[in-house]
Amino acid sequence: MNRSGSPVSEVVVPGVEWRLRMTAAERGVWTGTQLRRLLAEKAGLGLSPASVSALFTKQPSQVKLSTLAALCAALDCAPGDLLVLTPAPSGPVPALEVTGGRPSRAPLRAVETRSLPPL
């Protein structure tokens, strides 16, 4: 319920937990230098020390699929070991709040959907 007593729709937005450091540690890889060496030896991927450091110490906003595949090959793991979906950290997010008969933010536009091609 909002302040005026009207119901509020809620949408739960999942988060993504980047678990590269933990996954690497479980396999005895403790430094970016060790990870960089494994990526070159096992997956044939040459990343700069700065790129490996960023992957190792921060949660990236995006990861190329080829990089994710190379990390999995180097660490002998699955993508689910590196990326874990988590519940929204702040809980449910109000989707639309109606006050005085008007929405407090613009309603979401309908998204055009397309069917998949036949198999």
Side-chain angles (χ1 to χ4, degrees):
M1 296 265 185
N2 63 15
R3 286 178 267 175
S4 66
S6 301
V8 175
S9 299
E10 293 183 346
V11 176
V12 176
V13 180
V16 177
E17 181 184 352
W18 180 241
R19 295 182 35 88
L20 174 61
R21 191 173 198 102
M22 184 62 74
T23 303
E26 290 169 352
R27 288 154 177 79
V29 178
W30 298 98
T31 66
T33 303
Q34 290 174 312
L35 179 59
R36 188 168 178 245
R37 188 176 306 122
L38 276 176
L39 284 167
E41 291 172 1
K42 290 189 172 184
L45 180 65
L47 289 178
S48 70
S51 295
V52 173
S53 176
L55 285 171
F56 212 57
T57 59
K58 302 174 192 170
Q59 176 150 332
S61 59
Q62 60 186 355
V63 178
K64 285 184 175 181
L65 289 177
S66 58
T67 302
L68 182 61
L71 288 167
C72 289
L75 295 172
D76 192 29
C77 66
D81 296 325
L82 299 174
L83 297 167
V84 178
L85 291 180
T86 58
S90 61
V93 176
L96 185 63
E97 185 175 316
V98 178
T99 55
R102 301 189 119 177
S104 62
R105 68 175 195 178
L108 300 175
R109 292 184 292 155
V111 177
E112 211 176 290
T113 59
R114 295 183 181 164
S115 61
L116 294 174
L119 297 176

